[in-house]
Amino acid sequence: MTSTSSLAETLQLPQEVQDLLFREARTANSFSDEPVGEEQIQAIYDLVKWAPTSMNTQPLRALVIRSEEGKQRLLPHMSEGNRAKTASAPVTVVLAADTDFHENLPKTFPHKPDAKDLFAGDESGREGFARLNSLLQVGYFIIGVRAAGLAAGPMTGFDAAGVDKEFFADRNWKSLVVINVGKPGDNPWFDRLPRLDYDEVVETV
């Protein structure tokens, strides 16, 4: 098996950047009280928006929760094991799929004037399409958080229907992932778990 350092040399990014975004990045389970500014969230989105999506639909939507009132509305919908760390995070972001993404197609896919009409009247099809493409953007969001020098704590342990009713009752957003964002706190990391090797994952034909 080729060493990590040798593989790193084949990539264009400097190894320290590779380590920041991938090898040394961890899922944080506790957070300090250092604030996360609005400009940092804007800078993260400025990277995330370049994620590839089918027909440039960009269906990901984000609800940034930083107020105590917002946290108290969210916490009852989190699984018990995720509540304390969510309460301690300076910012929590609910990432959702907008099933009405097609309304933006005249702007995001302007060279095909009838693109919006392809999705109109097919709410079920739009939801599946929105979820798949939003999840591509979720991956970019996690990398964006790491690029900002912050830790991301993505969670799927929550009542999605409850979150949707609480926050998105007036719009067609479907929550996918809740991500705590901030600087790591005390004992933030669980032990690193093994990753599958290249030969266990990749097949060439």
Side-chain angles (χ1 to χ4, degrees):
M1 179 64 68
T2 308
S3 68
T4 293
S5 59
S6 296
L7 292 171
E9 292 175 359
T10 70
L11 302 176
Q12 190 164 356
L13 283 177
Q15 183 165 342
E16 60 268 25
V17 178
Q18 299 174 34
D19 291 342
L20 172 71
L21 299 180
F22 298 97
R23 298 187 193 93
E24 294 178 3
R26 305 290 302 278
T27 295
N29 292 287
S30 71
F31 295 87
S32 75
D33 58 3
E34 183 175 337
V36 174
E38 183 64 28
E39 282 193 354
Q40 288 174 289
I41 299 297
Q42 290 179 11
I44 290 167
Y45 177 70
D46 198 54
L47 296 177
V48 175
K49 69 183 182 182
W50 302 113
T53 54
S54 181
M55 295 180 66
N56 200 34
T57 45
Q58 305 172 57
L60 186 71
R61 303 292 180 264
L63 173 69
V64 179
I65 300 176
R66 58 173 74 248
S67 69
E68 183 61 26
E69 177 189 2
K71 285 291 185 78
Q72 292 307 312
R73 291 172 63 191
L74 175 65
L75 289 175
H77 304 291
M78 302 302 296
S79 64
E80 184 175 353
N82 288 330
R83 286 178 192 154
K85 55 189 172 184
T86 301
S88 73
V91 165
T92 300
V93 182
V94 180
L95 295 179
D98 182 4
T99 63
D100 286 335
F101 64 85
H102 63 305
E103 298 292 344
N104 291 313
L105 282 172
K107 175 181 180 178
T108 62
F109 211 61
H111 56 282
K112 188 171 176 55
D114 64 341
K116 175 181 172 179
D117 299 335
L118 297 176
F119 294 96
D122 184 12
E123 186 171 353
S124 176
R126 289 201 312 271
E127 181 168 346
F129 190 98
R131 286 181 179 275
L132 174 61
N133 285 279
S134 293
L135 288 170
L136 292 172
Q137 294 179 280
V138 168
Y140 268 65
F141 188 91
I142 294 170
I143 299 299
V145 170
R146 294 172 176 179
L150 301 170
M155 301 166 289
T156 55
F158 67 97
D159 176 8
V163 169
D164 292 349
K165 183 177 180 181
E166 180 69 35
F167 292 101
F168 307 142
D170 61 342
R171 66 195 90 173
N172 287 326
W173 293 12
K174 307 296 182 184
S175 54
L176 300 171
V177 181
V178 176
I179 301 184
N180 291 323
V181 178
K183 291 288 187 179
D186 295 331
N187 300 314
W189 320 123
F190 294 148
D191 290 341
R192 190 80 173 195
L193 294 173
R195 263 47 178 181
L196 295 174
D197 290 329
Y198 179 88
D199 291 341
E200 297 176 280
V201 174
V202 180
E203 180 178 341
T204 301
V205 297

